[in-house]
Amino acid sequence: LHGIGQDKRFLDEIAAPFCRAGFAMVTFDQYMSGERKLKEPGALEAALAFRQRAALTVIETRRLVDYLQTRPDIAPNRIYLLGASYGAITGSTAAAFEPRIRAVVLTYGGGNFRYLFNSRAGSSQLGKWLGIAQHLTSWLLAPADPVNYIAEIAPRPILFQNGTNDALIPREAAEALYEAAREPKKITWYEGDHI
């Protein structure tokens, strides 16, 4: 699952090493991105659509697994999820609800949405509006917060990959998602920023 500002073409950038290792990779444009981008939405329309995007990503991920199960060239017991950034946030919830996903890799993801605006990017862009934005976002996106669901992935394994200097996903958000998950789980920290 791609990040918030990406679309399905992101897969073209990362697929080669996975395909050489014998994996097939597939994705889709999430609602509001790529071919499904909204045409000049107003602020309220965009906010409501963004709230809907998380639920649709979970549902459509499960539909994609349905499709993969019909393919003779896909091992039905070896379907894994790789989510990057927003794809890691929504992917953890999708995997919690989809038991046919056998293992999960969450790259640059986080949970507990109040923490997300504690990032350098959020603080610098919102300034004095930071507190209001935290409360509004927590309310708006509360049903989509992956800390509410990630424990249900167990006993399937989860690999978390995060950046030590991530400007978008603060360490406390990454750790909140990791702590909410159950074993087996592993977190790896890479020197660097978001992706």
Side-chain angles (χ1 to χ4, degrees):
L1 297 173
H2 60 74
I4 202 163
Q6 299 168 320
D7 58 43
K8 65 184 177 186
R9 293 174 296 178
F10 170 70
L11 196 61
D12 295 335
E13 299 173 26
I14 67 166
F18 295 98
C19 294
R20 282 193 299 272
F23 292 93
M25 294 191 80
V26 63
T27 194
F28 55 91
D29 277 332
Q30 296 168 26
Y31 183 55
M32 301 178 68
S33 67
E35 295 172 0
R36 300 172 69 193
K37 192 171 185 95
L38 301 178
K39 304 227 186 306
E40 301 181 31
L44 180 58
E45 181 186 6
L48 293 174
F50 189 69
R51 185 174 189 194
Q52 187 179 17
R53 179 178 176 170
L56 287 173
T57 301
V58 171
I59 292 165
E60 292 165 356
T61 299
R62 297 188 74 198
R63 286 182 183 157
L64 182 58
V65 174
D66 290 340
Y67 169 71
L68 292 173
Q69 296 276 305
T70 70
R71 303 266 321 203
D73 55 343
I74 300 296
N77 61 341
R78 295 184 65 200
I79 295 174
Y80 312 115
L81 185 138
L82 168 62
S85 190
Y86 184 76
I89 292 169
T90 54
S92 59
T93 302
F97 285 98
E98 182 47 74
R100 295 172 294 176
I101 294 172
R102 305 296 297 163
V104 180
V105 178
L106 304 174
T107 303
Y108 298 103
N112 192 331
F113 289 146
R114 289 175 307 171
Y115 294 148
L116 291 180
F117 284 114
N118 290 344
S119 69
R120 289 190 318 271
S123 297
S124 68
Q125 291 196 10
L126 294 171
K128 66 180 181 178
W129 299 103
L130 179 62
I132 293 170
Q134 284 175 315
H135 291 295
L136 182 60
T137 302
S138 293
W139 169 80
L140 184 67
L141 298 177
D145 195 330
V147 298
N148 298 323
Y149 310 104
I150 195 166
E152 299 306 314
I153 295 174
R156 296 166 287 152
I158 309 171
L159 173 62
F160 296 82
Q161 299 176 314
N162 291 88
T164 57
N165 298 305
D166 194 327
L168 293 177
I169 305 292
R171 186 178 190 108
E172 59 195 345
E175 290 174 343
L177 189 59
Y178 177 78
E179 291 302 322
R182 293 190 304 215
E183 296 290 343
K185 61 183 179 178
K186 178 182 177 183
I187 191 166
T188 302
W189 292 93
Y190 297 98
E191 288 296 323
D193 199 347
H194 194 75
I195 310 204

